[in-house]
Amino acid sequence: MARRTLQASTQGIKDIRKALRRKQGGQTYLAGAVDCSRQTIWSLLKGNPIDCDVFMDVCTKLGLKWEDIAEPEAAEPVQNKDSNLDALVQQVRSRLLPFITAPDSIIGTMRMFSVSQPVPVDKIYIDLNVLEQVSSSRHFSNWRGEYEPGNRQDFDRLSLSQVKQKGVEAISVIKDYAKLLVLGKPGAGKTTFLKSLAVKCIQPEEEFFADLVPLFVALPEFAKMVHKMKTSWNLLDYLAKELANQSNGCDANAKEILVQGRSLVLLDGLDEVPPEDIENVIDAVRDFGYRNNRLVITCRTQSQKELEGFTDVEVADFTPKQVDRFVENWFNIVDSGTQASLTTQLQHQLRATENKTIAELTVTPVLLNLICAVFRDEQGNLPKKRSQLYEKGMRHLLERLKRMPSDRKLTIDIKEEFLAELAVMLFEKNDYFPEEQTLEKFICNYFGVERSTARNIMKIFETETGLLIERSAGYWSFSHLTFQEYLVAKWFHGHTGLTGLVNATTDHYWREVFILMAEMSSNLEQFLVALKSEIDLLSNSKPLLTSFLGYIEGKSLIVQTELKIPYSLAIIRTFYFEKCLLFVLRQTGLSIHAGFKSGEPILDVMALDSTLIQTFISGHIWIGGRERFQGEMKNRISNFVKVFDVNACQNAYEDNLKYFLENLRDRLPSSDDDLDGCFSWWQENGCMWLSDIHKVIKYRNLFLIFGEQWSEQYQNLSEEHQNYFRKYHTLNWFLIDCLNSDTSVSNNVRQEIEETLLLPSQHRN
């Protein structure tokens, strides 16, 4: 039987904290005492379910009875004594086994380059590692928190390959956390990871959650089903139907398993859900209520979303040992081990200094897969850039496409142009999983063939190249989003150029297209300058956006000049830009309190803003563990105590705001406390204290420095203006990423872009 989870009650959490104080220890101490991660202890103190053995060990170590600490409903015996439910679970598992492990199973297999048939997941899959401290940014402006003025090398390639923490085995993390959000860059192996969990869980000889039923579901398909069937966003009903279909059973039994929390629910592709549906899908996950099931959700790093009760981890890059194992497995599958010399040759070349650029791509399975295919076909010639790798890989795959049911001879260029046109059409519609009829119609029009011929073309592309695949009955897609993005970038590069790409951009999912197009350009610096010019044209073409940026610049200048904030103007501008943009686009997120007066002293307002800036920019450092915390906390607390001199500004704020500030100040430990005392205080109270800081931000008027007329000007933006503001934000995010995609950019170009970021041309020196 697999282990169950327990969670602490509200009173239980208080008792644990009291016991910790008695022992003069914090979360790090407790994690070491029971041999688990600090994040497990953090999750326990947040009221989330954790592994029952760890829960009991914690209680024993603190001298507490676990029955008194656990939620009443969770304090029942760990073994489920309902024999009928146990029998039902095993029955469904036995029915599900052939569905998952069949040679043509969508769940139990994966596509590989140079292999015409699906490959069993367990033949190629390499056990992944994950990072328990997520390194990637949620918004483009998070680079400001890692950027140290004057330290140029730290600015290069931020959030790409600079993670220093050690990864832990993904399987062990799955056991530790009942609710997990797995983040990762494109091609990191997130989908294959979920499939491997389903395969591992369903095997009779395995002891991996043997009392649970694995259920793999793609979230974009859930969203598409809701629209197609015009049903409600009820995830429980959808999962029950999917489980019944996969196990050849009935909906009632499937629903009973989910309601009783006896499933390992694997939800893939949160980032691939269309933007207009993302909030509905997230709400559906929340409404599902988790129901004591174990949940694992995957999402691209840059698209991650907040999910309450979930622990975030990030897929770690492949280690050199994992790269070697993957290469060996790949050649064993493709050539049945006959190309052993190529295996060792590729492993050796990937370590060579001259191949460093291409070796950097081996950190993800999908790119390493392509490298193996290209290396085999080229007999030892490795490309130097990612775009070159895609180009070679695409052409090798298309060369295999000998049989095309068309009257005219199709060159590789025509085949690639067809795929690029299709990729752009689907990408612009944000349609990752088009219906079969959509592809048939496109092929009929493109090649001038009948519908039956179009279906044959689709099947040929699937079997001979693997570039287009049928995901489920009646729904197709590119085999991997990475290659669709490459084709989109290639099409814009050869047809409309950067201007066309900027005009087509509608949302965050165009990010990789921009980065790939930057790489394809013959001169990266010219591309960056041109992109910056396009962004400036965008800002200057809308007077309302121009004035918005002007106000942001004015406030940033005052903050830097009057308060001596130790950050560049670009960083301060970014802070205010995002906070103000949140107000403009989501008024409910930041509301103006009616009682604020218009004549507040500027320096007092800036003093509070200074505190907020330091909190947002530096707050994440405190949570990063004792190592990053060392030497920071006492100085920060001392600064906070100085800034929160409420008496100095008591005439400037309402009584309520004064009360909030006094409360925040008084809850801080004294700046004279020893480091251990400060660290323990932050471990127990830091998250709540930061949360209350956020409430102050919502309470006060961020725009007061500019007066009521300014804030009213942006309260009722038209939908056109809102989209314009959003697009401007997105393109600046892309500019930052393109800038950091290559270290060869000169300091002059980099400095010019940084200094004029989020700045309309008429406000420049």
Side-chain angles (χ1 to χ4, degrees):
M1 298 287 287
R3 295 179 293 181
R4 296 279 300 281
T5 61
L6 293 172
Q7 64 189 91
S9 64
T10 302
Q11 183 58 47
I13 293 174
K14 294 179 181 178
D15 292 342
I16 292 174
R17 293 188 183 280
K18 288 180 181 178
L20 276 173
R21 284 194 289 271
R22 286 196 302 270
K23 290 184 174 290
Q24 297 183 344
Q27 294 181 35
T28 303
Y29 152 77
L30 190 55
V34 299
D35 192 25
C36 69
S37 68
R38 190 181 65 82
Q39 195 162 1
T40 299
I41 303 302
W42 177 86
S43 190
L44 168 66
L45 295 176
K46 292 287 287 184
N48 299 326
I50 67 169
D51 182 87
C52 67
D53 290 343
V54 176
F55 187 97
M56 293 177 180
D57 287 346
V58 166
C59 294
T60 300
K61 182 63 64 175
L62 296 178
L64 304 170
K65 292 183 178 180
W66 72 267
E67 297 91 339
D68 298 336
I69 301 301
E71 283 281 8
E73 62 269 22
E76 297 295 325
V78 175
Q79 295 289 338
N80 190 329
K81 295 182 178 180
D82 189 340
S83 58
N84 292 332
L85 182 59
D86 284 342
L88 176 60
V89 167
Q90 295 307 317
Q91 181 186 40
V92 174
R93 281 175 58 89
S94 65
R95 290 178 176 175
L96 199 58
L97 177 62
F99 178 83
I100 293 179
T101 58
D104 59 348
S105 168
I106 296 176
I107 297 176
T109 62
M110 60 178 290
R111 288 281 180 175
M112 287 180 53
F113 304 113
S114 298
V115 182
S116 59
Q117 298 299 320
V119 175
V121 169
D122 54 358
K123 296 295 184 182
I124 187 64
Y125 177 71
I126 300 296
D127 290 334
L128 295 178
N129 293 334
V130 296
L131 309 173
E132 292 186 287
Q133 180 186 327
V134 176
S135 65
S136 56
S137 60
R138 294 178 185 266
H139 304 289
F140 88 91
S141 64
N142 280 98
W143 59 266
R144 67 174 183 262
E146 300 183 41
Y147 175 55
E148 296 179 9
N151 196 351
R152 180 64 58 192
Q153 63 269 25
D154 285 348
F155 194 77
D156 295 334
R157 297 182 179 272
L158 278 178
S159 299
L160 293 179
S161 302
Q162 299 298 320
V163 179
K164 302 300 182 183
Q165 57 178 310
K166 185 178 181 180
V168 297
E169 291 183 354
I171 288 295
S172 67
V173 175
I174 292 292
K175 295 177 180 178
D176 284 343
Y177 302 115
K179 309 292 179 286
L180 206 64
L181 179 62
V182 179
L183 308 166
K185 60 175 73 71
K190 302 181 294 297
T191 299
T192 307
F193 173 55
L194 289 194
K195 289 183 174 183
S196 73
L197 292 177
V199 171
K200 188 176 182 64
C201 180
I202 203 63
Q203 298 293 345
E205 66 275 10
E206 292 280 355
E207 296 184 359
F208 179 73
F209 297 128
D211 65 341
L212 300 181
V213 174
L215 176 58
F216 176 93
V217 168
L219 285 174
E221 293 187 16
F222 166 53
K224 178 162 286 190
M225 184 280 302
V226 170
H227 290 296
K228 182 178 181 180
M229 305 302 295
K230 294 181 171 55
T231 61
S232 64
W233 294 90
N234 190 316
L235 184 59
L236 174 60
D237 287 348
Y238 178 78
L239 293 177
K241 288 184 180 297
E242 283 295 306
L243 181 55
N245 291 336
Q246 293 180 17
S247 62
N248 195 25
C250 67
D251 291 359
N253 288 341
K255 196 165 190 175
E256 178 69 11
I257 287 173
L258 289 163
V259 169
Q260 295 298 326
R262 295 296 294 275
S263 180
L264 173 62
V265 182
L266 308 167
L267 304 177
D268 190 39
L270 178 61
D271 57 284
E272 295 178 23
V273 173
E276 62 270 19
D277 293 331
I278 189 67
E279 294 301 329
N280 286 327
V281 169
I282 291 177
D283 288 342
V285 173
R286 293 185 184 121
D287 292 342
F288 174 58
Y290 318 146
R291 301 176 188 272
N292 291 325
N293 295 285
R294 285 183 170 268
L295 264 74
V296 185
I297 302 178
T298 63
C299 183
R300 273 194 183 188
T301 302
Q302 72 270 16
S303 302
Q304 78 187 55
K305 304 291 181 181
E306 294 285 359
L307 282 169
E308 295 85 352
F310 278 72
T311 299
D312 294 1
V313 297
E314 184 176 356
V315 176
D317 291 344
F318 265 0
T319 65
K321 289 183 179 179
Q322 289 173 319
V323 170
D324 285 347
R325 286 202 302 271
F326 186 98
V327 170
E328 185 176 349
N329 288 352
W330 193 93
F331 281 101
N332 283 337
I333 292 170
V334 175
D335 295 311
S336 301
T338 60
Q339 296 283 356
S341 60
L342 281 182
T343 301
T344 55
Q345 186 180 351
L346 178 56
Q347 291 170 339
H348 176 74
Q349 287 197 27
L350 288 175
R351 292 185 176 88
T353 303
E354 62 270 20
N355 294 322
K356 180 180 178 182
T357 302
I358 201 69
E360 289 179 351
L361 302 179
T362 65
V363 296
T364 62
V366 70
L367 295 181
L368 184 52
N369 189 350
L370 186 59
I371 289 171
C372 290
V374 171
F375 185 81
R376 174 178 177 269
D377 290 338
E378 293 288 320
Q379 289 294 306
N381 294 321
L382 285 175
K384 301 301 180 183
K385 291 184 177 182
R386 184 168 55 142
S387 58
Q388 294 173 347
L389 175 66
Y390 294 151
E391 177 74 21
K392 285 181 176 290
M394 191 76 64
R395 290 193 163 256
H396 281 300
L397 291 172
L398 292 175
E399 283 175 354
R400 300 171 184 274
L401 223 169
K402 305 298 183 184
R403 299 179 292 107
M404 283 290 287
S406 176
D407 293 334
R408 51 182 170 154
K409 289 199 171 187
L410 301 179
T411 65
I412 291 179
D413 289 337
I414 293 175
K415 297 170 188 175
E416 188 174 41
E417 180 69 12
F418 154 70
L419 288 175
E421 293 271 6
L422 176 62
V424 171
M425 185 271 289
L426 296 176
F427 210 78
E428 289 184 330
K429 292 182 177 180
N430 196 25
D431 190 2
Y432 293 113
F433 301 99
E435 295 186 51
E436 189 169 84
Q437 298 93 313
T438 301
L439 262 65
E440 288 175 356
K441 183 178 180 180
F442 182 86
I443 294 173
C444 288
N445 293 334
Y446 192 88
F447 290 115
V449 297
E450 298 296 325
R451 184 174 177 182
S452 59
T453 303
R455 282 198 295 268
N456 289 336
I457 291 176
M458 290 164 59
K459 288 295 183 182
I460 290 173
F461 267 99
E462 180 181 35
T463 57
E464 296 191 12
T465 70
L467 290 170
L468 291 176
I469 61 173
E470 188 174 17
R471 292 283 182 178
S472 61
Y475 292 95
W476 287 66
S477 75
F478 282 87
S479 58
H480 200 284
L481 186 58
T482 300
F483 304 110
Q484 184 178 357
E485 290 166 335
Y486 161 75
L487 288 166
V488 173
K490 184 177 179 63
W491 188 90
F492 276 101
H493 179 70
H495 289 77
T496 66
L498 183 59
T499 301
L501 181 58
V502 168
N503 291 334
T505 301
T506 57
D507 217 322
H508 65 275
Y509 55 84
W510 289 82
R511 173 183 178 271
E512 287 294 317
V513 177
F514 271 83
I515 294 176
L516 283 167
M517 191 168 171
E519 190 178 277
M520 293 176 187
S521 63
S522 58
N523 188 311
L524 177 60
E525 291 189 350
Q526 287 182 2
F527 175 88
L528 293 172
V529 172
L531 177 55
K532 186 65 171 66
S533 297
E534 292 285 347
I535 293 173
D536 291 340
L537 286 174
L538 193 70
S539 67
N540 294 333
S541 63
K542 291 289 184 182
L544 206 57
L545 177 57
T546 301
S547 65
F548 179 88
L549 296 175
Y551 285 132
I552 299 301
E553 171 67 3
K555 185 161 188 174
S556 302
L557 282 168
I558 294 174
V559 167
Q560 189 188 60
T561 303
E562 300 293 341
L563 294 177
K564 312 299 183 184
I565 299 296
Y567 297 99
S568 70
L569 271 174
I571 294 176
I572 301 174
R573 268 201 310 273
T574 304
F575 171 82
Y576 281 112
F577 175 79
E578 289 202 332
K579 299 311 162 190
C580 294
L581 193 67
L582 181 63
F583 170 82
V584 169
L585 300 181
R586 297 181 182 180
Q587 294 179 26
T588 56
L590 286 174
S591 60
I592 300 176
H593 190 275
F596 282 114
K597 301 175 183 179
S598 59
E600 290 183 336
I602 288 179
L603 290 183
D604 290 338
V605 176
M606 292 299 96
L608 180 57
D609 286 343
S610 171
T611 300
L612 301 181
I613 289 174
Q614 292 181 34
T615 300
F616 273 90
I617 293 178
S618 304
H620 70 284
I621 296 177
W622 303 350
I623 307 175
R626 187 182 182 87
E627 294 76 13
R628 298 183 72 183
F629 188 93
Q630 184 82 25
E632 288 283 343
M633 186 58 181
K634 287 182 69 175
N635 292 335
R636 294 297 182 190
I637 288 178
S638 178
N639 290 338
F640 274 124
V641 171
K642 290 177 182 177
V643 173
F644 280 146
D645 185 2
V646 181
N647 292 329
C649 59
Q650 61 183 350
N651 296 323
Y653 299 98
E654 290 185 346
D655 290 339
N656 283 343
L657 181 58
K658 176 183 176 183
Y659 168 78
F660 289 151
L661 296 176
E662 287 176 334
N663 180 264
L664 285 166
R665 179 198 60 193
D666 294 343
R667 284 160 53 192
L668 286 165
S670 169
S671 58
D672 297 329
D673 286 354
D674 58 55
L675 182 61
D676 288 336
C678 291
F679 186 73
S680 296
W681 177 89
W682 185 259
Q683 292 290 300
E684 294 186 19
N685 305 289
C687 289
M688 182 60 70
W689 194 84
L690 279 179
S691 176
D692 289 342
I693 270 279
H694 295 182
K695 292 177 183 178
V696 173
I697 295 174
K698 292 180 179 180
Y699 179 80
R700 72 179 296 273
N701 178 2
L702 280 173
F703 314 105
L704 195 55
I705 184 173
F706 303 118
E708 295 178 0
Q709 183 179 0
W710 186 90
S711 58
E712 290 174 357
Q713 188 178 12
Y714 296 95
Q715 286 186 27
N716 297 299
L717 285 180
S718 66
E719 183 176 353
E720 178 188 358
H721 273 95
Q722 289 192 40
N723 291 335
Y724 220 81
F725 275 50
R726 190 177 290 109
K727 185 171 185 174
Y728 180 78
H729 172 272
T730 301
L731 288 172
N732 275 283
W733 172 24
F734 294 164
L735 175 63
I736 294 293
D737 281 347
C738 291
L739 180 67
N740 295 327
S741 66
D742 197 311
T743 57
S744 64
V745 179
S746 68
N747 288 340
N748 289 338
V749 171
R750 185 181 295 272
Q751 184 177 353
E752 169 65 18
I753 291 175
E754 292 172 20
E755 290 181 351
T756 59
L757 190 70
L758 304 174
L759 189 64
S761 58
Q762 58 264 45
H763 284 252
R764 296 176 191 169
N765 293 328

